[in-house]
Amino acid sequence: MKNTNTKTLTRVALLVAIEVVMKLVGLGSVPMGPLYMSFLTLPIAVGAITMGPAVGALLGGVFGAVSFYDAITGASAMTGALFQVSPLNTFILCVGMRVLMGLCCGLIFKGLQKLDKSRTWSYIVSAMTAPALNTLFFMGYIVLAFYGCDYVQNLVSVKGAANPFMFVVLLVGVQGVAEFLVSGILGGIVARAVAKFLK
């Protein structure tokens, strides 16, 4: 039992380290306008799929913590501006939504695994939910908590969005699709390889 716990903690620590290093060396995100195309969902998907929803939530929290740090320091233009509007809502946006994303990714994999007897497609589909849910939860919370603030209304005006839904579509656009495909497919391949290795 002790040996199993040590192995699990070591694997979690390794994924946390990968998450932090990706962020520090710039491999975690690519700037695209006010948003970043994030690849930090990749280790979250791998952890959620191979070790369960709780690990996914923990890794989502790590992603959220580095994102919130960027908001506090102003390293991210968007979350930095939103932090000036509401520090609490920015914390929920950065951390809460990422924890929820990691948790949901793990739960989705558990559900899909029951349908995927051959254990082939459930890895990629589940990994694709990580970037998709990250975008959905993050942008959804921006609309819920910040849509009326000057910063967001300026973006709405610049994008020419007629409503909140169009604002999200126009702001996320190509970045969201690229993140969904690249992070999702790569995450699924890595998660399946790691799951086979851990057996």
Side-chain angles (χ1 to χ4, degrees):
M1 182 72 172
K2 206 171 190 181
N3 193 31
T4 305
N5 288 341
T6 304
K7 280 182 179 177
T8 302
L9 288 172
T10 303
R11 290 167 185 159
V12 171
L14 181 61
L15 286 170
V16 168
I18 289 168
E19 188 100 12
V20 172
V21 168
M22 282 176 73
K23 174 65 180 169
L24 291 175
V25 300
L27 291 174
S29 55
V30 176
M32 293 188 82
L35 294 175
Y36 283 82
M37 181 167 63
S38 178
F39 298 110
L40 294 176
T41 57
L42 202 149
I44 297 167
V46 171
I49 290 168
T50 60
M51 287 183 274
V55 172
L58 173 71
L59 293 167
V62 173
F63 178 13
V66 297
S67 178
F68 188 61
Y69 177 78
D70 283 350
I72 294 169
T73 59
S76 164
M78 176 178 267
T79 56
L82 298 179
F83 183 78
Q84 299 302 316
V85 176
S86 171
L88 175 61
N89 278 320
T90 305
F91 178 81
I92 295 168
L93 173 70
C94 293
V95 180
M97 296 301 103
R98 270 55 186 268
V99 169
L100 186 60
M101 174 265 295
L103 178 70
C104 289
C105 180
L107 291 172
I108 288 166
F109 178 71
K110 283 182 104 171
L112 290 179
Q113 228 182 353
K114 293 173 185 172
L115 303 171
D116 182 22
K117 302 300 179 194
S118 63
R119 303 236 172 151
T120 51
W121 55 267
S122 57
Y123 287 92
I124 289 180
V125 172
S126 300
M128 286 178 131
T129 66
L133 291 173
N134 181 50
T135 301
L136 180 70
F137 292 157
F138 188 83
M139 293 307 300
Y141 197 79
I142 284 177
V143 168
L144 286 173
F146 295 104
Y147 194 72
C149 78
D150 291 342
Y151 178 80
V152 174
Q153 283 302 305
N154 183 50
L155 288 174
V156 169
S157 176
V158 168
K159 296 291 180 185
N163 54 56
F165 177 75
M166 284 309 298
F167 163 68
V168 171
V169 170
L170 292 170
L171 189 64
V172 173
V174 176
Q175 171 260 333
V177 174
E179 189 177 315
F180 172 73
L181 291 173
V182 176
S183 257
I185 292 170
L186 190 57
I189 292 167
V190 172
R192 189 159 187 234
V194 168
K196 281 186 174 180
F197 175 76
L198 295 177
K199 280 186 179 178

